Amino acid sequence: MFLGTRLGTEFLPNLDEGVIWIRANLPPGTSLEKSAQVASEMRALIQRHPEVLVVGSQTGRNEAGTDPFGPNRNELLITLKPYSTWAPGRTKQDLVADLRRELNQEIPGILLNFTQPIIDTVTESVTGSSADLAVIVRGPDLAELRRLADQTLSMIRAVPGAADSSIEQETDQPGLRIQVDRSCIARYGLNVDDLNHMIESAVGGAAIGTVFEGDRRFDITVRYAPEWRSDARRLSEMLVRTTEGGQVPLSQLADIRVVNGASIILRRENQRAIAVRTNIVNRDQGGFVADAQRQLSREISLPAGYQVNWGGQFENLDRARRRLYLIIPVTIAMIFTLLFFAFNSTSNALLVLMNVPFSVVGGILLLYARDIHLSVSAAVGFISLFGVAVMSGVLVLGAKYQLRPCLILILVAMLGMVPAARAVGIGSDVQRPLATVVVGGLLSTLLLTLLALPILYYLIARRKAA
């Protein structure tokens, strides 16, 4: 029980996909050309490592335009050489640590996030953030949210184990705000849609025709020249045709100014929110979040109407933990019910059920010895272990010569899981905790079932006889 409280907790072990996915954000306002140049420098720096096979990068949003990323965003996919060709003792975690240190030193102001493609996509789809932990602050005012997020970020970075910490939403960006004077445009017989269409055509472009190249079709789009559409003063000189045929400058119909504002507004449960993200290295998720929650309650006072949620992969861990608190007791209760109907005796059913804590002993010991955190994978291993452990107890109570059937049952099941417990290849990270629990649990079951269970049975039988 003492060692069980010392085990770290996590949702799932870090599944090694054999590649590295880097999200790199440069300071807001970085041009596309400069961002592409930095991406080239990053590829050259990464390629210097002998463990790297190929590096590919993408600047800005993807071709489909489904992600609203600016030109300051770079994403890099690093394909690695087979681990068998790496220097002895060199691990993927070592490579990631070296890349994180070198990129931060060589490119000032960059914000990095090291992850993997599959886990990045799945976690972001389920929880809204691909990070190990996302501290999501919700409330009505964006300026206050930004202030609280800055305080939270400073606090998170001080917690041991934090890496790649940042605020997911960029700071306020300058933008052109055109506030239409409705009473003024009404005097000229215009409406807001007329002005919107003109401004959209001038800045974004309007399709005026189509050109064909074989099977391919392209829109012919026209818009203002860059020196006109990027200058607020010149844009205000745009002439708007009235219903009577006259022309009026846009500056007389609307207030045009450059103001700072949010480029992305996150909403969670219909409230404005801002997320502080961090990855966790060299420690468990549960322990890290417990420390962060204590720090936040001590250092940050939330105004009325503001609240904090803990998301990212930790959100999956919290959800799985609540389910396991229900599933494991129900499983044990069902096992006891079946044993009671089999023996028609509460004492015998409880005796056989003692194999459950017998099996837990070995599972926890081996997890602790191998420095493996308690995860959903390990919890599934414990549930599977309970059935085999109880079966061995049934054999002890039901057989006159119980040693041979117990040895066959437990040893075959245990030896069958040893290769999975010792596996180190790609994809073995999830199965290793499960197999470790089963091997350790069956070993303790074998010893305690043959030693402790007969003693307990003898004591209870002698008491009944008396």
Side-chain angles (χ1 to χ4, degrees):
M1 291 177 62
F2 173 75
L3 291 181
T5 62
R6 308 286 293 179
L7 288 176
T9 56
E10 60 186 0
F11 175 59
L12 283 175
N14 186 25
L15 178 62
D16 185 8
E17 301 174 23
V19 297
I20 300 173
W21 181 257
I22 302 178
R23 287 183 171 186
N25 288 318
L26 297 171
T30 304
S31 67
L32 183 63
E33 293 76 13
K34 180 61 178 179
S35 186
Q37 177 187 342
V38 172
S40 177
E41 295 173 0
M42 293 176 66
R43 292 197 306 270
L45 188 150
I46 295 170
Q47 196 70 58
R48 293 205 302 255
H49 290 267
E51 300 86 2
V52 174
L53 180 63
V54 177
V55 185
S57 66
Q58 171 184 290
T59 302
R61 67 180 184 220
N62 55 27
E63 292 182 357
T66 54
D67 292 323
F69 300 144
N72 63 318
R73 170 72 165 251
N74 283 295
E75 295 184 335
L76 297 96
L77 178 63
I78 305 174
T79 305
L80 304 175
K81 294 179 181 178
Y83 294 146
S84 58
T85 64
W86 290 25
R90 179 76 164 169
T91 65
K92 184 179 177 182
Q93 289 73 21
D94 297 333
L95 175 60
V96 170
D98 290 344
L99 291 176
R100 180 182 288 116
R101 184 185 66 257
E102 293 172 4
L103 291 173
N104 279 307
Q105 289 176 350
E106 296 293 331
I107 307 174
I110 194 171
L111 294 176
L112 299 171
N113 178 40
F114 285 81
T115 180
Q116 299 176 100
I118 297 177
I119 193 67
D120 178 89
T121 303
V122 172
T123 307
E124 189 170 28
S125 299
V126 174
T127 67
S129 175
S130 61
D132 292 337
L133 175 65
V135 185
I136 303 166
V137 186
R138 293 189 290 155
D141 184 68
L142 289 176
E144 182 65 15
L145 286 174
R146 175 64 62 172
R147 184 186 70 82
L148 292 172
D150 289 335
Q151 292 182 353
T152 304
L153 178 61
S154 299
M155 180 273 297
I156 286 291
R157 284 175 171 168
V159 179
D164 308 330
S165 305
S166 64
I167 298 176
E168 288 200 359
Q169 290 72 39
E170 293 179 344
T171 56
D172 290 350
Q173 302 298 306
L176 188 65
R177 177 178 293 174
I178 301 177
Q179 188 72 35
V180 177
D181 187 338
R182 293 178 179 269
S183 60
C184 182
I185 64 174
R187 290 197 297 269
Y188 290 99
L190 300 172
N191 56 47
V192 176
D193 186 63
D194 296 330
L195 267 66
N196 283 342
H197 180 70
M198 290 192 61
I199 296 169
E200 180 183 2
S201 301
V203 178
I208 61 171
T210 306
V211 62
F212 293 88
E213 289 185 3
D215 297 346
R216 306 172 69 187
R217 182 174 65 179
F218 303 93
D219 288 335
I220 301 174
T221 304
V222 295
R223 60 176 176 172
Y224 275 15
E227 61 270 18
W228 281 84
R229 66 175 184 263
S230 59
D231 189 328
R233 182 184 60 81
R234 289 191 170 186
L235 197 62
S236 67
E237 298 173 1
M238 176 194 302
L239 296 177
V240 181
R241 186 177 297 276
T242 66
T243 55
E244 297 179 353
Q247 293 182 328
V248 181
L250 180 62
S251 58
Q252 296 186 16
L253 305 176
D255 178 36
I256 305 173
R257 65 179 64 184
V258 176
V259 296
N260 289 332
S263 57
I264 297 176
I265 299 178
L266 171 68
R267 288 187 179 271
R268 188 179 178 93
E269 297 180 6
N270 207 31
Q271 282 187 304
R272 288 178 173 178
I274 191 168
V276 178
R277 57 172 297 146
T278 186
N279 287 329
I280 303 170
V281 296
N282 299 326
R283 67 176 303 185
D284 64 297
Q285 293 176 8
F288 181 93
V289 174
D291 288 349
Q293 289 175 335
R294 284 193 295 268
Q295 290 287 99
L296 187 140
S297 62
R298 284 198 302 261
E299 299 179 10
I300 301 177
S301 177
L302 295 176
Y306 293 81
Q307 54 185 306
V308 171
N309 296 107
W310 302 81
Q313 290 195 49
F314 172 75
E315 189 175 349
N316 291 327
L317 170 62
D318 191 49
R319 188 184 303 113
R321 181 186 294 161
R322 291 196 301 268
R323 291 179 179 175
L324 288 171
Y325 284 158
L326 174 64
I327 291 173
I328 291 180
V330 168
T331 302
I332 295 175
M334 291 176 63
I335 292 174
F336 173 78
T337 301
L338 294 174
L339 291 173
F340 176 79
F341 285 116
F343 293 113
N344 199 25
S345 168
T346 303
S347 58
N348 287 342
L350 289 173
L351 272 175
V352 175
L353 201 62
M354 283 297 297
N355 283 274
V356 170
F358 290 170
S359 63
V360 171
V361 168
I364 289 177
L365 283 173
L366 198 54
L367 284 176
Y368 186 82
R370 301 191 69 188
D371 196 22
I372 296 177
H373 301 316
L374 185 62
S375 62
V376 173
S377 176
V380 172
F382 277 114
I383 294 173
S384 304
L385 181 63
F386 295 163
V388 180
V390 168
M391 181 62 70
S392 67
V394 172
L395 289 176
V396 170
L397 293 188
K400 184 176 180 180
Y401 302 100
Q402 72 273 18
L403 178 61
R404 184 176 298 171
C406 274
L407 286 175
I408 294 174
L409 172 70
I410 296 177
L411 285 177
V412 169
M414 182 175 65
L415 294 176
M417 297 299 291
V418 169
R422 298 182 65 251
V424 293
I426 294 176
S428 64
D429 307 86
V430 174
Q431 70 184 21
R432 195 181 305 118
L434 187 152
T436 298
V437 165
V438 173
V439 171
L442 289 179
L443 184 59
S444 65
T445 300
L446 177 62
L447 299 175
L448 294 175
T449 298
L450 295 178
L451 296 176
L453 190 60
I455 295 173
L456 291 173
Y457 180 75
Y458 171 77
L459 293 174
I460 291 177
R462 187 177 66 176
R463 182 178 178 183
K464 286 182 178 180

